[in-house]
Amino acid sequence: MTARRSSPAPRIALALAGGGPLGAIYEIGALCALDDTLDGLNLNACDHYIGVSAGGFIAAALANGITPRELCESFIEGRPRFDGFDPAWLMRPAWGEFAQRLRALPQLASGAAWSWLVEGKAFSQAIERLGAALPTGVLDNEAIHTEIQRLFSRPGRTNDFRELKARLTLVATALDSGDATPFGRPGWEHVPISRAIQASAALPGLFPPVLIDGRHYVDGALKKTLHASVALDEGVDLLLCVNPLVPYHASPEATHEGRIPALVEGGLPVVMSQTFRSMIHSRLELGFKQYERTYPHTDIVLLEPDQRDAELFFANTFSYRQRREMAEHAYQQTRALLKLRAGRLAPQLARHGIAIDHAALADPQRRLIDTRIKPADSAVAARLHRVLDELQRRLPQPA
């Protein structure tokens, strides 16, 4: 009798978009919901992880064996599992960048004066030269590399793409060309994971560009929202995508705790937030239409917030005080989304050995955060509160 050949294990990829600290919190809540309600899915055993900006750290953590619940305990509930991992480095001013720009100011000023007084150029043209004296970022992101390097150097983890069991791709944008750079892929796998995370999250204006091998890199979301094609090109059976930022659909009857019925009433911060979300989401929609045409044999599942979710839209992107509420909100909304789409998702996931736990989805008592337990009053948690609250105060706020 001929032995039955077992079918090959499905190749599953996970792509995580950016969205600042709030986006990371949303993704942790959503991933915990997937972990709790999808039987047969191991989020620490995917074939390929793709991370952009804030999603890069979570993708790298999952590839390193850190579970969604461990991420939740450490960064949401304030019960640090990673000894000595102090997020206070997020608020260190970019003194080196300031000094470098200040040193260039005298030469720039003399050049502007020469251009105006001697060459006869318009004052506005001459003064433009002084723009080079402005810092490219206000916060130092070098500690992102050093702290994450230390975290991933602990036993059982690695800061080397080549030593991971799974593929990990962290995407940044090359500043001088605008090209997407997939750190972790051939030719880029020598770059430390922590350095790639630093580059992928280098949001212009907030953090300076990151110098790697003689070239400068900035936030990977400037080019694409997810960069999922790097996994699709290598061949996967199932691609799971999580995108935390969507444009908001405002309406007079959908006001949130007395907030604005029309976004224009929120002023520039709200208008800019909606503009940014709309731009990156339109790219995402175009990308997914292309994926469906180009990769018809891959099942692609996109999870993102409801565009009518006022609570998520009006939460400050850099607020950490709301972390428990937002993580719980993401957890419950993802469960609701899975329940709503169960009829279509069930056969799609079943092809890859994944089953929806309908009992878990239907359980009204299931929660991510035990509200009976107060957040841990650890020194690290307290510093993290102060750090991101200070960052929140320094950035434009929605009305």
Side-chain angles (χ1 to χ4, degrees):
M1 182 175 66
T2 305
R4 180 184 299 175
R5 296 179 60 186
S6 59
S7 58
R11 296 164 297 173
I12 300 175
L14 176 66
L16 302 176
L22 181 61
I25 290 170
Y26 176 88
E27 289 180 339
I28 290 173
L31 291 170
C32 285
L34 296 181
D35 204 32
D36 287 353
T37 58
L38 297 183
D39 293 333
L41 174 65
N42 183 349
L43 290 170
N44 294 110
C46 294
D47 288 77
H48 199 156
Y49 298 88
I50 305 99
V52 179
S53 194
F57 170 70
I58 298 176
L62 293 173
N64 258 295
I66 301 173
T67 69
R69 284 284 176 172
E70 288 174 332
L71 287 169
C72 182
E73 289 178 16
S74 295
F75 299 102
I76 307 301
E77 298 190 71
R79 300 203 299 266
R81 301 175 64 96
F82 315 128
D83 296 338
F85 190 71
D86 186 351
W89 38 261
L90 283 172
M91 277 299 295
R92 294 175 183 169
W95 297 121
E97 173 73 4
F98 298 158
Q100 177 184 344
R101 300 292 165 173
L102 188 61
R103 286 194 297 269
L105 183 57
Q107 182 178 355
L108 291 171
S110 62
W114 178 271
S115 178
W116 178 41
L117 298 173
V118 179
E119 296 179 355
K121 292 186 178 179
F123 179 77
S124 58
Q125 289 181 295
I127 207 69
E128 284 180 359
R129 295 194 177 192
L130 296 180
L134 296 175
T136 56
V138 297
L139 299 177
D140 185 9
N141 52 359
E142 180 62 22
I144 293 178
H145 160 60
T146 56
E147 291 287 334
I148 294 177
Q149 180 183 49
R150 185 160 60 86
L151 173 63
F152 288 167
S153 297
R154 293 169 61 85
R157 304 191 185 117
T158 180
N159 198 39
D160 190 327
F161 285 102
R162 296 163 293 190
E163 295 179 359
L164 290 170
K165 295 180 181 179
R167 299 184 193 89
L168 171 64
T169 303
L170 303 174
V171 185
T173 303
L175 182 62
D176 290 332
S177 66
D179 295 332
T181 301
F183 292 109
R185 297 299 85 218
W188 300 104
E189 69 271 32
H190 66 284
V191 177
I193 294 173
S194 54
R195 186 68 77 187
I197 292 173
Q198 177 193 6
S200 182
L203 181 64
L206 188 63
F207 295 115
V210 178
L211 181 64
I212 300 175
D213 293 345
R215 302 183 69 187
H216 288 92
Y217 297 90
V218 293
D219 197 309
L222 298 185
K223 187 71 174 180
K224 291 183 181 179
T225 304
L226 275 171
H227 294 274
S229 59
V230 297
L232 293 167
D233 287 339
E234 294 188 354
V236 293
D237 302 305
L238 173 64
L239 173 65
L240 299 174
C241 306
V242 182
N243 171 50
L245 293 185
V246 296
Y248 177 55
H249 285 184
S251 62
E253 65 274 11
T255 55
H256 174 61
E257 297 181 357
R259 290 185 183 270
I260 52 179
L263 295 186
V264 69
E265 297 180 24
L268 181 61
V270 170
V271 171
M272 292 301 295
S273 175
Q274 180 75 337
T275 301
F276 174 73
R277 290 165 179 260
S278 299
M279 289 175 59
I280 64 173
H281 199 260
S282 65
R283 294 186 318 190
L284 180 68
E285 291 176 328
L286 289 173
F288 268 77
K289 290 178 181 178
Q290 180 66 28
Y291 294 159
E292 292 172 358
R293 292 193 298 267
T294 309
Y295 310 97
H297 302 297
T298 299
D299 286 313
I300 303 174
V301 177
L302 173 63
L303 300 171
E304 57 184 9
D306 189 322
Q307 294 188 14
R308 297 163 297 180
D309 191 338
E311 184 173 351
L312 187 64
F313 178 79
F314 287 107
N316 188 274
T317 304
F318 290 93
S319 174
Y320 199 76
R321 289 285 182 184
Q322 304 173 61
R323 72 197 189 285
R324 301 177 91 230
E325 292 83 358
M326 287 297 100
E328 183 67 42
H329 183 73
Y331 180 81
Q332 299 298 347
Q333 291 299 312
T334 302
R335 292 178 67 238
L337 178 63
L338 291 172
K339 187 176 182 180
L340 178 67
R341 295 167 55 184
R344 182 160 57 91
L345 283 177
Q348 194 176 29
L349 296 174
R351 289 195 286 269
H352 312 288
I354 301 171
I356 297 176
D357 187 340
H358 295 280
L361 286 180
D363 183 1
Q365 303 301 319
R366 188 174 287 253
R367 299 181 63 82
L368 173 64
I369 308 292
D370 188 346
T371 55
R372 297 169 300 179
I373 302 176
K374 294 183 179 181
D377 189 21
S378 69
V380 170
R383 280 194 294 270
L384 186 52
H385 301 168
R386 292 193 299 269
V387 164
L388 290 179
D389 283 347
E390 178 63 21
L391 180 57
Q392 178 181 356
R393 284 191 290 270
R394 294 189 184 189
L395 294 171
Q397 304 296 308

